[in-house]
Amino acid sequence: MEPRTSFRKAWSVVYPILLYYVINYLVVLLLAMLTQAVGGIYQGVFAAFIRNHSASLSAGMKGIGMLAGMVAAIPAWKQESGTKLPLAGFGKREDTTDSDRGRKIKKLLIGSFMGIVTALFLNSLFTLLHVTESSQTFDSVAAVQFSVPFLLGIVLYGVVAPLSEEVLFRGIVFRRMKRLYSVPIALIGSAIFFGAFHGNLVQAIYGTIMGLFLAYLYEISGDFWVPLCFHSGANLAVFITVSIELCKLYVFSVSGCIVLGVLLIIISLLAWKYKIFK
């Protein structure tokens, strides 16, 4: 039954976000307490292992928390998509021929590349404008994020985070707002929720801009894999670039920002002209 009052509509949108956040937080908290307790009982080698691998353990807990939050949101996903699991039928069109599969692969590759260029351009622009220097919270969050071991970071930021966040913000929040309100409200509202979810002003601005891209791509493509690949490409591009000093020096420069900006405009125009995502 559709929510009839404004409050019910708003609550039906906010509730999955709160549920995801609470479950995520509780799971991470319980894992941290368990690790600390085990370290206290088995001191010595195990305690030293915890100290020496704190970044890896923290990343692993964070990933498990994200997945737990996503699992908790599956009933809402089912209500909006009609499928029981997030991976059971992301797109609304099934590919049945080699030509269809080829077009879909091309679409996903271009979506990933667009995510890479968009994320690097925004990060480069924010760096040049000194936006990142305005938030101490962002500095502390970034320090934790980029202290993760490289391979674990690839899995966490390239797979786990995009999947769980896309299920929540595009698969549930965007679709629900679109059903209850309108497409423009869903585009803007889901993007704002996505930005605010990141918890500090710099990432809120960045997340809102990226959220608009993600929701728009989902709307015009009707294929959940498109924003998922865009999100994954964006996360991996930033994580890898920041992890490699030479890449960071070039990308976060005036020339790098200009090249990325021009490239983003060209890709966007070509995608629009040839209706790549439709």
Side-chain angles (χ1 to χ4, degrees), residues 229-244:
C229 288
F230 181 101
H231 195 158
S232 179
N235 280 11
L236 287 175
V238 175
F239 179 72
I240 293 172
T241 298
V242 174
S243 300
I244 302 174

Side-chain angles (χ1 to χ4, degrees), residues 13-21 24 66 69-70 72-74 76-77 80 86 161-176 190 193-194 197 224:
V13 172
V14 173
Y15 173 74
I17 302 175
L18 293 177
L19 179 64
Y20 175 93
Y21 182 83
N24 186 344
M66 289 179 179
M70 185 184 74
I74 285 178
W77 164 273
E80 298 305 321
L163 177 60
S164 60
E165 291 175 2
E166 288 309 306
V167 166
L168 177 62
F169 290 102
R170 257 59 62 183
I172 298 173
V173 174
F174 172 73
R175 293 175 72 157
R176 185 161 289 183
S190 64
F193 277 124
F194 182 61
F197 178 78
F224 200 84

Side-chain angles (χ1 to χ4, degrees), residues 140-219:
S140 61
V141 170
V144 172
Q145 289 179 336
F146 296 114
S147 66
V148 176
F150 188 76
L151 291 179
L152 187 56
I154 295 295
V155 176
L156 181 62
Y157 301 124
V159 180
V160 177
L163 177 60
S164 60
E165 291 175 2
E166 288 309 306
V167 166
L168 177 62
F169 290 102
R170 257 59 62 183
I172 298 173
V173 174
F174 172 73
R175 293 175 72 157
R176 185 161 289 183
M177 293 187 76
K178 179 181 172 181
R179 174 167 60 85
L180 297 175
Y181 299 100
S182 66
V183 173
I185 291 177
L187 287 170
I188 297 172
S190 64
I192 292 174
F193 277 124
F194 182 61
F197 178 78
H198 288 80
N200 61 79
L201 182 60
V202 174
Q203 287 185 307
I205 297 171
Y206 173 81
T208 299
I209 296 171
M210 293 296 284
L212 285 170
F213 273 96
L214 290 161
Y216 180 70
L217 286 175
Y218 187 27
E219 173 62 18

